[in-house]
Amino acid sequence: MKLIAIRHTRVAVSAGICYGQTDVPLADSYREELSEVQAATAGLKVDAVFSSPLSRCQTLAKAVFAHHPIVQDDRLKEMNFGQWEMQSWDTIYTTPEGRHWMDHYQELPTAGGESLPELHQRVADFVHELSRSTHKRVAVVTHAGVIRLLKSMLENQSMEAVFSNFAPSYGGVYEFEIK
């Protein structure tokens, strides 16, 4: 099965702000970025479309795949950063808890939020369920963290490698294979 992962377009949040599962609005550049995503997916035929329920993904999914039902799936949400949501990363880094988490992000939960292993389990559950379906090609409109984990799982790369060497771009389209 082919899995086409699409990251949402830019959001109307200042650079350097942690926004994880906060439902933030799209940036003014949305129309232009939508055109780029539509061009990148022109002619793409899919059996099913799945999306994070957050509006930044739903809006893009509905525009790109207007003739398909969109299945919302909570497992496709970005990581829950808990108390750090809508705070600047610089502020987070200056706290002892934030620095400790950065040194151990692969196992520790965020302040009042979830851990990378919990996010990994959500995404793995989604992929496992999808692998048991009869779909041949699916589209998933989601977030950078989820796309990184898809790359890790489906291309057998370490989480450390994908989190340090792979940054999904806003409106980026990535193809994976579920075997």
Side-chain angles (χ1 to χ4, degrees):
M1 172 190 309
K2 298 287 183 189
L3 187 154
I4 313 304
I6 303 168
R7 184 179 181 196
H8 61 80
T9 58
R10 292 183 195 284
V11 295
V13 174
S14 298
I17 299 297
C18 172
Y19 57 88
Q21 288 191 7
T22 302
D23 205 5
V24 296
L26 292 169
D28 291 341
S29 57
Y30 171 71
R31 295 266 180 238
E32 178 182 317
E33 293 170 3
L34 170 60
S35 294
E36 293 170 8
V37 175
Q38 288 172 322
T41 58
L44 177 65
K45 302 218 184 305
V46 295
D47 302 321
V49 180
F50 298 88
S51 176
S52 161
L54 298 178
S55 63
R56 58 190 181 262
C57 294
Q58 284 291 304
T59 300
L60 182 63
K62 289 173 183 174
V64 174
F65 299 102
H67 302 295
H68 288 275
I70 310 296
V71 179
Q72 293 184 32
D73 196 310
D74 283 341
R75 295 172 296 185
L76 298 174
K77 283 184 180 178
E78 183 59 276
M79 187 167 173
N80 179 351
F81 287 97
Q83 298 165 7
W84 296 341
E85 295 271 336
M86 300 311 292
Q87 289 190 39
S88 77
W89 282 108
D90 289 343
T91 300
I92 295 165
Y93 294 151
T94 61
T95 67
E97 186 177 30
R99 284 193 307 277
H100 186 68
W101 178 78
M102 284 306 296
D103 291 339
H104 304 281
Y105 75 92
Q106 289 193 32
E107 64 260 1
L108 293 179
T110 59
E114 72 183 323
S115 66
L116 189 56
E118 289 170 320
L119 175 59
H120 184 274
Q121 188 60 55
R122 279 198 280 123
V123 176
D125 289 347
F126 173 79
V127 169
H128 178 71
E129 185 177 308
L130 200 56
S131 72
R132 297 182 312 155
S133 75
T134 58
H135 300 308
K136 301 292 184 212
R137 183 179 299 260
V138 299
V140 173
V141 182
T142 189
H143 310 272
V146 173
I147 294 172
R148 283 177 163 142
L149 289 174
L150 288 169
K151 185 172 184 69
S152 173
M153 286 178 225
L154 300 175
E155 294 182 358
N156 199 28
Q157 295 187 26
S158 72
M159 284 196 288
E160 183 176 356
V162 296
F163 275 85
S164 59
N165 300 321
F166 175 60
S169 60
Y170 290 106
V173 179
Y174 305 90
E175 186 171 317
F176 302 106
E177 187 170 341
I178 299 176
K179 297 177 183 177

